[in-house]
Amino acid sequence: MNAFWIILTGALVATSCGLLGTFLILRKMAMVGDAISHAVLPGIVIAYLLSESRDVLPMLIGAAALGVLTTFMIEFLYQKARLQIDASIGITFTWLFAIGIILISLYAGQVDLDQDCVLYGEIAYVPLDLWITESGRLLGPRPVWILSGVLALILLIIILGYRGLKITTFDPEYAAAVGISTVFWHYLLMSAVSVTTVVAFESVGAILVVAFLIVPPATAYLLTEKLHNMLLLTVGLGILTAVSGYYLAVWIDGSVAGAMAVSSGVFLLLAVLFSPSTGVLTQRFRQQAIPVPAQGYKER
Amino acid sequence: MKTAIETHNLTVAYNRRPVLWDIDFQIPEGQLIGVLGPNGSGKTTLLKSLMGLVQPSSGYVRLFGQSLDEVRSRISYVPQRESVDWDFPISVREVAVMGRYRKHKLLGRLNKEDHRLADEALEKVGMLSFADRQIAQLSGGQQQRVFVARALAQQADLYLMDEPFAGVDAASEEAILSLLKEMKQAGKTVLIVHHDLHTAHQFFDWMVLLNTRLIKCGPTSSVFTADYLKQAYGGQLTILSQVSDLVKARDFPIRERSFKDQPK
Ligand SMILES: Nc1ncnc2c1ncn2[C@@H]1O[C@H](COP(=O)(O)OP(=O)(O)O)[C@@H](O)[C@H]1O
Ligand SMILES: [Mg+2]
């Protein structure tokens, strides 16, 4: 049963992150997840100081708020200060992370805390974190419920907002010209990313979240030429990664999150080598297959 | 004749540096209009301010006598080709059908008519047989034609196109140009940013000559003169030396192209 819950958790995170990551990659903002994983630190500290407890909920709220602030800051530096997008991301998260460190050092006496509290959730412990109702009924692991809720929300956004996200990602200028608000779709996506990553950090840890956000979509990108196929393929790959990663972890008796991240990398490598259109090896085979014009052949 | 586009004292600045200064013009409906000027003279910025994509620091724009928001569905925009990522996982047909996206229809489904109009537009630019290809697998000229198709699918009355002939092969240039003429016949107004002086005077009925300030706006014959071109292109000697040839050429308009275009 534990195996089932762990794999299900992994698959839920993979699906949510993969769907959002697809759009992040196409917007050249893949590192946003990584940035958020650092930038939430001050949010966690402030939430801790205000609530004076180590309850998860206030910290999640603090972290999610900082996640959204991160995306605002990145956008501000990119649009208004006209910095490159990667520079904007780098500046934002180092700066916010540093503020978190300062806060911790200022309140060192009161804060027994670092980002581990939220960031290093451990997927292997998911089956232990059970949700028990007042009347004592056992409802299964709490993270599975929360992550299912998050996934439902994301599916809603992606399915209803598919065309809005697609056009504002592909050609924001044209979208704006027909009156579609690029700002709205940007912040809708970024808020979804913030909330999802923060919730997922807490259940499965930051490394796995960042991996699921980038690697399966990047793999799918190599394998298909259509956006909706890329989304479906990302989900399939994510689930496959969760399953294979779990059994890899059992086999080597190692970290589940680590094994899942590694397994996602293996799929990426396979795609790099064997992608039908861009695969390194595929192209080599194909070159051999191209018939060489016979002697005397003239181009017209 | 009714006015399609008018700007009033339009001034646009980036970081307080003006790139358009006090632009004032009116263009009638049903014309093929060329916007000309050297690099960085504000041509793209003019189009973007007509489309409301940049905010003017002063002045305003009227399209068909109204503000942009009132007539947005009648205006279609073709951005510069470099403005998008051509490796994006999307097919030719999907790009064309984007011409049917509307602000308030974004959540609903596209209907048969939308798909038919998109295919019809692809047919017109000669790209229907490529409809299922990913856009990365097209030549520059074909990509440009897909952009034009998307604008056509929108079924607008005024088309604003940013350098649709840039980096385009001869076949595509011919295809786009004849399409533009067809659109004009149908009473559409088409405004095109163009950088090639050699072809400009053959293509357009009307011209806007720009160099941060408006040099001249009017029918081609009154704008395409050595004097105005010199004012616009200033000290660019290589261009200046060509200008007098071009103007001479215009005075002898018997060219192959004009013969070909004669109705049979
Ligand atoms: N987003 C921007 N921010 C700052 N300067 C810009 C921006 N876009 C264009 N410019 C500058 O404005 C001037 C006019 O640009 P543009 O309208 O693109 O000219 P054109 O299309 O005629 O080549 C150029 O000097 C360009 O460098
Ligand atoms: Mg330009």
Side-chain angles (χ1 to χ4, degrees):
Chain A
M1 201 57 195
N2 281 0
F4 172 76
W5 289 124
I6 292 175
I7 292 174
L8 181 60
T9 305
L12 286 170
V13 173
T15 307
S16 300
C17 290
L19 290 172
L20 297 172
T22 298
F23 287 100
L24 290 183
I25 285 202
L26 293 173
R27 287 170 179 246
K28 320 243 180 310
M29 299 190 77
M31 293 317 289
V32 159
D34 198 18
I36 290 175
S37 74
H38 286 83
V40 292
L41 184 59
I44 295 168
V45 181
I46 292 169
Y48 175 81
L49 291 172
L50 290 180
S51 71
E52 298 181 324
S53 77
R54 291 183 62 138
D55 283 350
V56 172
L57 192 64
M59 290 200 196
L60 276 184
I61 294 172
L66 253 291
V68 175
L69 177 70
T70 308
T71 64
F72 272 93
M73 262 185 73
I74 292 171
E75 198 59 12
F76 174 82
L77 291 175
Y78 178 56
Q79 295 285 353
K80 293 285 187 295
R82 309 201 60 79
L83 284 164
Q84 316 279 36
I85 187 71
D86 49 355
S88 309
I89 293 174
I91 291 165
T92 302
F93 85 80
T94 47
W95 195 71
L96 288 174
F97 186 66
I99 289 187
I101 305 265
I102 289 180
L103 282 176
I104 289 182
S105 66
L106 277 182
Y107 297 94
Q110 305 153 47
V111 187
D112 167 27
L113 181 78
D114 52 35
Q115 63 191 136
D116 287 9
C117 299
V118 168
L119 285 187
Y120 289 80
E122 169 54 65
I123 189 167
Y125 298 156
V126 162
L128 306 178
D129 187 358
L130 291 173
W131 190 18
I132 306 167
T133 59
E134 307 265 310
S135 59
R137 266 187 60 195
L138 211 62
L139 292 177
R142 192 186 49 90
V144 169
W145 285 98
I146 298 176
L147 290 170
S148 303
V150 169
L151 177 59
L153 197 71
I154 288 167
L155 284 174
L156 198 72
I157 292 175
I158 302 259
I159 291 171
L160 286 181
Y162 180 68
R163 249 178 274 139
L165 287 169
K166 181 169 157 182
I167 193 169
T168 52
T169 304
F170 172 62
D171 194 348
E173 209 167 81
Y174 178 81
V178 291
I180 295 167
S181 167
T182 51
V183 174
F184 169 80
W185 291 102
H186 176 82
Y187 285 114
L188 182 69
L189 178 65
M190 289 306 160
S191 309
V193 171
S194 302
V195 172
T196 307
T197 46
V198 168
V199 169
F201 287 158
E202 196 253 338
S203 329
V204 305
I207 306 289
L208 194 51
V209 173
V210 174
F212 275 142
L213 214 44
I214 303 176
V215 186
T219 312
Y221 179 80
L222 296 176
L223 296 176
T224 175
E225 294 168 347
K226 288 228 165 112
L227 178 58
H228 57 261
N229 289 345
M230 189 173 159
L231 288 166
L232 294 175
L233 211 58
T234 296
V235 171
L237 280 164
I239 294 172
L240 211 61
T241 300
V243 176
S244 57
Y246 177 77
Y247 287 105
L248 176 66
V250 171
W251 183 47
I252 59 173
D253 195 19
S255 144
V256 177
M260 284 185 183
V262 165
S263 135
S264 72
V266 171
F267 286 117
L268 177 74
L269 184 67
L270 289 176
V272 168
L273 294 177
F274 299 110
S275 151
S277 52
T278 55
V280 177
L281 291 182
T282 333
Q283 277 177 351
R284 178 153 305 170
F285 288 133
R286 198 156 300 152
Q287 262 163 20
Q288 287 170 358
I290 292 173
V292 180
Q295 284 289 314
Y297 172 88
K298 287 235 172 64
E299 237 180 90
R300 260 167 281 190
Chain B
M1 204 177 265
K2 283 201 212 140
T3 304
I5 309 169
E6 53 195 296
T7 63
H8 297 270
N9 306 100
L10 185 70
T11 297
V12 180
Y14 291 117
N15 313 320
R16 292 207 214 97
R17 195 171 63 84
V19 295
L20 288 177
W21 185 259
D22 204 18
I23 307 281
D24 227 14
F25 64 73
Q26 299 190 351
I27 296 171
E29 283 183 21
Q31 308 287 323
L32 210 56
I33 307 125
V35 177
L36 288 113
N39 282 336
S41 57
K43 304 182 294 294
T44 296
T45 307
L46 176 65
L47 242 60
K48 286 186 180 174
S49 28
L50 292 176
M51 277 317 321
L53 299 174
V54 295
Q55 286 309 310
S57 21
S58 71
Y60 61 96
V61 169
R62 284 276 175 280
L63 302 171
F64 299 114
Q66 289 171 294
S67 74
L68 175 66
D69 278 323
E70 291 169 293
V71 289
R72 203 185 280 276
S73 61
R74 294 177 64 194
I75 324 288
S76 190
Y77 175 57
V78 180
Q80 261 174 302
R81 183 153 52 89
E82 303 83 68
S83 67
V84 307
D85 171 14
W86 289 94
D87 285 326
F88 199 89
I90 193 172
S91 71
V92 166
R93 181 174 274 125
E94 286 176 279
V95 176
V97 91
M98 277 182 180
R100 305 301 305 160
Y101 287 16
R102 290 291 175 280
K103 194 177 172 182
H104 301 294
K105 265 177 60 186
L106 218 48
L107 299 185
R109 294 184 70 87
L110 292 169
N111 59 31
K112 273 212 185 94
E113 179 70 358
D114 292 324
H115 289 287
R116 192 187 64 75
L117 287 168
D119 275 8
E120 193 181 283
L122 284 174
E123 171 95 74
K124 275 193 188 149
V125 300
M127 290 298 293
L128 190 56
S129 49
F130 297 85
D132 293 316
R133 286 236 193 141
Q134 194 204 351
I135 53 172
Q137 302 164 4
L138 305 175
S139 73
Q142 291 172 327
Q143 291 175 342
Q144 195 69 66
R145 284 196 260 167
V146 174
F147 258 20
V148 173
R150 177 175 68 180
L152 286 179
Q154 209 182 319
Q155 303 250 291
D157 296 318
L158 170 62
Y159 293 82
L160 306 173
M161 306 190 181
D162 204 342
E163 308 240 12
F165 295 107
V168 157
D169 48 287
S172 291
E173 179 172 301
E174 200 66 42
I176 295 174
L177 187 65
S178 66
L179 192 68
L180 297 179
K181 289 187 169 152
E182 221 174 88
M183 288 158 71
K184 187 198 151 185
Q185 297 301 322
K188 314 281 189 188
T189 310
V190 188
L191 180 95
I192 287 177
V193 170
H194 197 64
H195 68 276
D196 184 5
L197 282 178
H198 295 88
T199 49
H201 65 287
Q202 305 165 359
F203 286 5
F204 305 116
D205 316 319
W206 198 278
M207 279 187 186
V208 178
L209 200 54
L210 208 62
N211 192 348
T212 305
R213 293 161 196 271
L214 180 67
I215 306 295
K216 180 80 179 164
C217 169
T220 298
S221 57
S222 72
V223 177
F224 202 79
T225 65
D227 200 27
Y228 289 130
L229 288 170
K230 257 178 218 158
Q231 282 184 43
Y233 288 85
Q236 299 181 25
L237 287 174
T238 46
I239 292 176
L240 275 187
S241 62
Q242 292 163 11
V243 162
S244 53
D245 295 345
L246 285 169
V247 173
K248 263 186 231 138
R250 189 176 55 85
D251 293 336
F252 302 96
I254 306 164
R255 303 175 66 91
E256 244 186 316
R257 191 184 290 279
S258 345
F259 278 120
K260 266 196 291 185
D261 288 346
Q262 296 294 324
K264 303 201 175 96

